[in-house]
Amino acid sequence: DAIRIKSQFEYSLFDKVNVYNQIRGKDDWIYSLGFIEKYLGIRKESTQNQAKIKSNLILIRDYLKKKEIPLLYIIAPSKASLFPNNYPDKYQGVEKQKGDYEFLVETLEELNIDYLDNHKYFNSIKNTAPYLLFARTGIHWSSYGASLVLDTLLPILQKKIPFDIGKADIKEYKKTMKYKNGEMGTETAMNLLFEISKDSTVFPYYKVTKGEKKPKVITIGDSFYWSVRGLYVLTKMYSEDSKYFYYMKKSCPNSKESSVSIDKVNVTKEISSADAVVFITTIGNIYQASYELEEKLPLLSAVKKGKIDAKFNELKRNKKNRKYFQKKADAKGISLDSIIYLDAKWIIENR
């Protein structure tokens, strides 16, 4: 109780949120500080890190393409990217710069990787959506928001998978004041004496129709997937050997089995036997867009990858090469960094 009294006192009098990286905005909206600064472009990946992210996605794309395994990337919005009007005063009026979100969209477009841009989608409906997309004291999208993601994910997977995977239709949305599925995560961690005023929310209930076969889907990403999984639909529609590689640190099965360390999983075997691979990341986590999957697959040895990265940096630093590479990039319709990386890879592999 002493901890709760202290947390309440500091929150009520000094706007202090006793949860790491969380700050209080207007009208009791709680934001992740990192998500605000990432979205505004105050903090963003360096050119070198962007090139590394891009090269890793190229490796993964090409590996899956050779295996004829469909790839889909889901971009999750953050509350900070959708609702800037309730930012703390310090960030009110700060002009948004081009940041990690724009970089990832451009990269996925350039690499022809199919993706769902839920930041763009949610932003287009945030003023007309009948229910909450994000709870004011949570980090992740609401159960309603997760249902919108699910409703777009399944039809796209069906187009990519050559057999009938079944379907999920919403029977009803039940209104409730009781938040579930991680909707109020930050407030729970704040450990206050009094509940922060909140709005009503809904939980969707589905009718699942079986298809010809349950697909094996490997999902890789951050905690935003938990809310989608928490709708209890994919556990019925995906095969039992489907898995969620949480931050590529833990393997969470689509069954009642316990999660295990990713180091105990044959990642290559699991990926190679999948009917589809789905990545999901929120705007604040784009720095780890590939989740280092490339390190677990037989793509490049660490030594060779290091040599390619070194050659890339060498070629890029040489200003005499810029016109030559820019001409090649324009001809192929890809970015300057991508063409330099491809040349560096060719040099190391063919020298």
Side-chain angles (χ1 to χ4, degrees), residues 222-290:
D222 61 25
S223 53
F224 271 69
Y225 180 66
W226 286 120
S227 306
V228 180
R229 182 171 157 138
L231 299 178
Y232 309 113
V233 172
L234 297 181
T235 48
K236 298 175 184 176
M237 294 190 67
Y238 287 177
S239 67
E240 280 199 5
D241 58 346
S242 294
K243 291 178 176 61
Y244 171 33
F245 293 162
Y246 178 54
Y247 282 101
M248 281 302 294
K249 303 296 182 186
K250 262 195 330 185
S251 174
C252 309
N254 195 44
S255 64
K256 293 181 180 179
E257 295 178 16
S258 299
S259 301
V260 297
S261 167
I262 200 71
D263 294 330
K264 295 182 179 181
V265 176
N266 186 331
V267 173
T268 300
K269 182 180 177 181
E270 295 294 344
I271 293 289
S272 297
S273 60
D275 294 303
V277 172
V278 177
F279 278 86
I280 180 168
T281 192
T282 189
I283 289 172
N285 286 330
I286 289 171
Y287 70 95
Q288 52 186 343
S290 72

Side-chain angles (χ1 to χ4, degrees), residues 8-284:
Q8 185 70 59
F9 178 80
E10 291 179 339
Y11 179 73
S12 298
L13 293 185
F14 305 111
D15 293 336
K16 183 178 179 181
V17 178
N18 285 310
V19 180
Y20 175 71
N21 202 38
Q22 305 296 302
I23 57 174
R24 183 180 187 177
K26 297 180 182 300
D27 297 326
D28 286 316
W29 279 66
I30 308 298
Y31 289 96
S32 295
L33 175 61
F35 284 6
I36 290 179
E37 295 190 344
K38 285 277 189 175
Y39 176 65
L40 290 174
I42 296 171
R43 292 164 51 194
K44 55 188 174 184
E45 294 309 298
S46 66
T47 302
Q48 186 174 350
N49 285 347
Q50 287 181 350
K52 183 178 179 182
I53 290 168
K54 191 176 294 186
S55 67
N56 289 340
L57 290 176
I58 289 172
L59 293 171
I60 293 167
R61 178 203 64 184
D62 291 350
Y63 179 83
L64 294 176
K65 190 174 182 180
K66 285 179 183 177
K67 297 281 185 180
E68 297 184 335
I69 300 170
L71 170 64
L72 177 67
Y73 208 105
I74 298 175
I75 302 174
S78 66
K79 186 165 58 179
S81 72
L82 294 179
F83 302 105
N85 290 343
N86 291 305
Y87 282 175
D89 288 338
K90 177 181 176 180
Y91 295 99
Q92 289 290 331
V94 175
E95 185 177 353
K96 175 172 166 41
Q97 306 293 321
K98 185 176 180 181
D100 291 348
Y101 161 70
E102 290 80 10
F103 157 72
L104 182 59
V105 170
E106 290 172 3
T107 298
L108 295 173
E109 286 279 354
E110 177 188 324
L111 302 184
N112 289 318
I113 295 175
D114 289 340
Y115 66 98
L116 289 174
D117 185 351
N118 286 296
H119 165 70
K120 183 178 180 181
Y121 174 36
F122 278 37
N123 204 42
S124 71
I125 64 169
K126 67 181 181 182
N127 295 321
T128 57
Y131 309 115
L132 287 177
L133 295 175
F134 279 79
R136 70 176 70 190
T137 59
I139 294 177
H140 305 103
W141 40 35
S142 65
S143 295
Y144 171 67
S147 75
L148 297 180
V149 178
L150 183 66
D151 293 346
T152 52
L153 168 63
L154 291 175
I156 291 177
L157 286 180
Q158 181 60 85
K159 288 180 181 178
K160 290 178 171 290
I161 296 173
F163 54 83
D164 180 12
I165 66 172
K167 62 178 183 175
D169 298 305
I170 291 177
K171 292 192 296 185
E172 63 175 327
Y173 285 109
K174 281 193 176 179
K175 232 176 197 184
T176 176
M177 291 299 292
K178 186 177 180 181
Y179 283 17
K180 58 175 71 176
N181 204 17
E183 291 173 310
M184 203 172 66
T186 306
E187 182 171 350
T188 302
M190 287 167 66
N191 204 17
L192 300 175
L193 281 173
F194 308 110
E195 191 175 79
I196 295 174
S197 176
K198 64 184 182 184
D199 307 299
S200 64
T201 185
V202 296
F203 192 83
Y205 291 84
Y206 284 84
K207 176 186 177 183
V208 175
T209 305
K210 288 184 179 180
E212 174 190 344
K213 180 183 172 184
K214 291 183 177 182
K216 178 176 180 177
V217 180
I218 300 296
T219 305
I220 303 164
D222 61 25
S223 53
F224 271 69
Y225 180 66
W226 286 120
S227 306
V228 180
R229 182 171 157 138
L231 299 178
Y232 309 113
V233 172
L234 297 181
T235 48
K236 298 175 184 176
M237 294 190 67
Y238 287 177
S239 67
E240 280 199 5
D241 58 346
S242 294
K243 291 178 176 61
Y244 171 33
F245 293 162
Y246 178 54
Y247 282 101
M248 281 302 294
K249 303 296 182 186
K250 262 195 330 185
S251 174
C252 309
N254 195 44
S255 64
K256 293 181 180 179
E257 295 178 16
S258 299
S259 301
V260 297
S261 167
I262 200 71
D263 294 330
K264 295 182 179 181
V265 176
N266 186 331
V267 173
T268 300
K269 182 180 177 181
E270 295 294 344
I271 293 289
S272 297
S273 60
D275 294 303
V277 172
V278 177
F279 278 86
I280 180 168
T281 192
T282 189
I283 289 172

